[in-house]
């Protein structure tokens, strides 16, 4: 880089710099990244950029060298990069490729909020969902939902009510849909409903009910897992579940369900009877109307896939 060395020479002569500094800076001005950057941005740079940005250029070369030797730069996970700032050269610290990947993974995870769900739901993937004919309808419906929702997330989309016996893969399929939506930039909340109901009861004492309720009411996509697995008190049925579903129906927000019961069984055997033993067919019917509005029933059959 003849130009650069000549300018450098002049600079050094002018400044009567000591040998140490000279050696240090000669290496900097000889650096291929530095010279390429200087050439590429010459038009935007001040004439005396090489003197005025000397410290920054030195910082760039030495920090990069530290990293190459396996050391850490002063900001872990970031690497130095030259940028033009105000006609001078500056150093910006950009996330390394690994850091970027880690950040993307974290963002993805944050898009799936889970309440009392097993950690293993992270691994669920639509691509790994087996092509078992017994479960094909559920898989197709799930894929259709993802396509339709992603094409127009603001419209109303009826979600799924997955009914089927223990271990057939209902939770897995819900989680796989949530993970797919996350990968494409959409947020979902997955909640194990029986555990959530207990949490809500405990939240009464701490005045936390409204906040917990709000998170579920307003989640862009909500998945209520295992509804009907535990007996519900009238309060949970009407003031928790009822309130969440009413809001989501009004706002047309997609809401999935999974249950060991069919819709009919859920209404007749579960929602009608409160834990106190009262039979309340009208309340059960109203709730069921909301569930039917939000989701369509799909029965999953097959063997129990849980490790025995
Ligand atoms: P359910 O919610 O219907 O009771 P799960 O979704 O918990 O059933 O599935 C039972 C077990 O089988 C879980 O360990 C789950 O990870 C696994 N599983 C279910 N479906 C699949 C699948 N398609 N591919 C791989 N593992 C699956
Ligand atoms: Mg389940």
């Amino acid at each position: 880089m003849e130009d650069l060395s000549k300018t450098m020479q002049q600079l050094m002569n002018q400044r009567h710099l000591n040998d140490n500094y000279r050696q240090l800076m000669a290496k900097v001005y000889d650096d291929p990244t530095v010279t390429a950057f200087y050439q590429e941005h010459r038009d935007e740079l001040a004439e005396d950029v090489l003197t005025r940005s000397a410290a920054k250029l030195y910082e760039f070369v030495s920090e990069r060298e530290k990293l190459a030797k396996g050391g850490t730069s002063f900001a872990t996970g970031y690497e130095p990069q030259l940028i033009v700032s105000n006609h001078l050269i500056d150093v910006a610290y950009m996330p390394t490729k690994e850091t970027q990947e880690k950040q993307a993974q974290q963002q993805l995870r944050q898009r799936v909020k889970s309440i009392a769900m097993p950690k293993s739901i992270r691994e669920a993937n639509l691509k790994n969902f087996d092509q078992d004919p017994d479960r094909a309808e559920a898989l197709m419906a799930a894929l259709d939902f993802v396509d339709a929702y992603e094409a127009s997330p603001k419209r109303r989309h009826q979600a799924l009510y997955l009914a089927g016996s223990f271990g057939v893969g209902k939770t897995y399929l819900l989680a796989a849909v949530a993970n797919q939506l996350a990968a494409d930039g959409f947020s979902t909340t997955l909640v194990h409903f029986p555990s959530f109901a207990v949490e809500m009861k405990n939240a009464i004492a701490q005045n936390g009910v409204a906040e917990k309720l709000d998170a579920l009411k307003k989640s862009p996509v909500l998945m209520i897992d295992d509804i009907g697995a535990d007996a519900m008190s009238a309060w949970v049925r009407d003031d928790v579940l009822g309130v969440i579903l009413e809001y989501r129906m009004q706002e047309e927000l997609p809401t999935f369900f999974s249950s060991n019961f069919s819709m009919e069984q859920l209404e007749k055997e579960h929602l009608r009877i409160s834990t106190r033993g009262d039979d309340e067919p009208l309340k059960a019917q109203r709730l069921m109307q909301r569930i039917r509005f939000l989701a369509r029933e799909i029965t999953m059959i097959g063997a129990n896939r849980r490790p025995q």
Side-chain angles (χ1 to χ4, degrees):
M1 208 61 32
E2 227 210 334
D3 274 358
L4 202 57
S5 343
K6 214 172 4 181
T7 322
M8 216 7 242
Q9 204 57 52
Q10 281 165 359
L11 280 171
M12 286 186 188
N13 292 343
Q14 278 164 18
R15 296 179 102 201
H16 303 293
L17 298 168
N18 68 38
D19 279 353
N20 256 343
Y21 184 80
R22 231 180 259 208
Q23 270 175 7
L24 217 66
M25 290 315 287
K27 187 167 133 201
V28 170
Y29 293 118
D30 239 8
D31 185 272
T33 313
V34 171
T35 48
F37 186 84
Y38 176 73
Q39 288 304 328
E40 196 186 325
H41 295 280
R42 218 166 167 176
D43 298 347
E44 311 154 55
L45 294 168
E47 288 221 353
D48 55 355
V49 64
L50 292 177
T51 17
R52 288 170 65 196
S53 297
K56 289 293 175 183
L57 291 171
Y58 177 70
E59 175 184 333
F60 170 76
V61 172
S62 55
E63 285 295 320
R64 200 197 44 195
E65 212 163 65
K66 254 195 260 171
L67 277 181
K69 282 190 190 139
T72 48
S73 76
F74 75 86
T76 316
Y78 289 73
E79 61 194 357
Q81 200 168 308
L82 296 173
I83 56 163
V84 178
S85 158
N86 239 336
H87 306 290
L88 294 177
I89 298 174
D90 202 347
V91 183
Y93 286 84
M94 311 301 247
T96 58
K97 226 193 199 134
E98 294 96 73
T99 306
Q100 281 177 26
E101 272 160 24
K102 228 192 262 166
Q103 286 171 344
Q105 270 300 321
Q106 261 167 9
Q107 271 187 353
L108 213 102
R109 292 234 166 108
Q110 280 163 4
R111 287 196 203 110
V112 181
K113 293 180 194 70
S114 66
I115 302 172
M117 299 292 294
K119 258 207 185 118
S120 58
I121 62 164
R122 282 188 190 162
E123 317 305 329
N125 192 321
L126 285 172
K127 289 186 192 81
N128 297 342
F129 198 79
D130 52 355
Q131 303 282 331
D132 182 336
D134 283 342
R135 271 168 279 194
E137 189 193 358
L139 176 61
M140 289 305 147
L143 292 169
D144 284 347
F145 174 87
V146 170
D147 284 348
Y149 179 73
E150 291 184 353
S152 48
K154 298 258 183 293
R155 288 236 196 103
R156 178 185 167 217
H157 299 283
Q158 205 182 22
L160 312 176
Y161 177 108
L162 302 177
S165 56
F166 188 76
V168 78
K170 303 178 297 292
T171 301
Y172 185 94
L173 185 56
L174 291 183
V177 169
N179 291 337
Q180 183 61 51
L181 293 174
D184 299 327
F186 300 96
S187 298
T188 299
T189 304
L190 249 160
V191 56
H192 182 248
F193 195 75
S195 311
F196 178 73
V198 174
E199 259 185 49
M200 287 298 282
K201 275 182 223 147
N202 297 336
I204 300 175
Q206 290 133 31
N207 266 332
V209 169
E211 200 184 316
K212 282 185 187 292
L213 209 57
D214 244 34
L216 295 210
K217 273 162 71 179
K218 296 180 179 163
S219 176
V221 176
L222 177 64
M223 298 176 167
I224 298 181
D225 192 39
D226 246 348
I227 188 172
D230 274 353
M232 249 180 254
S233 68
W235 179 72
V236 167
R237 183 191 60 197
D238 302 329
D239 297 330
V240 176
L241 186 61
V243 168
I244 293 169
L245 299 187
E246 176 67 21
Y247 182 90
R248 299 190 66 82
M249 201 171 104
Q250 300 289 342
E251 299 295 319
E252 303 191 341
L253 296 168
T255 310
F256 288 76
F257 302 84
S258 88
S259 182
N260 289 353
F261 299 108
S262 68
M263 281 188 170
E264 181 161 355
Q265 282 176 316
L266 185 72
E267 177 177 350
K268 302 269 154 66
E269 294 165 29
H270 204 80
L271 297 176
R272 254 177 89 154
I273 322 288
S274 78
T275 38
R276 273 189 305 174
D278 303 329
D279 185 12
E280 298 178 305
L282 285 178
K283 290 205 166 155
Q285 213 174 44
R286 271 195 54 190
L287 209 60
M288 230 30 240
Q289 275 167 0
R290 293 176 193 155
I291 295 176
R292 285 208 165 87
F293 176 90
L294 289 164
R296 117 181 125 87
E297 181 173 14
I298 290 186
T299 307
M300 285 171 78
I301 46 178
N304 180 358
R305 306 186 48 130
R306 291 188 194 211
Q308 304 297 313

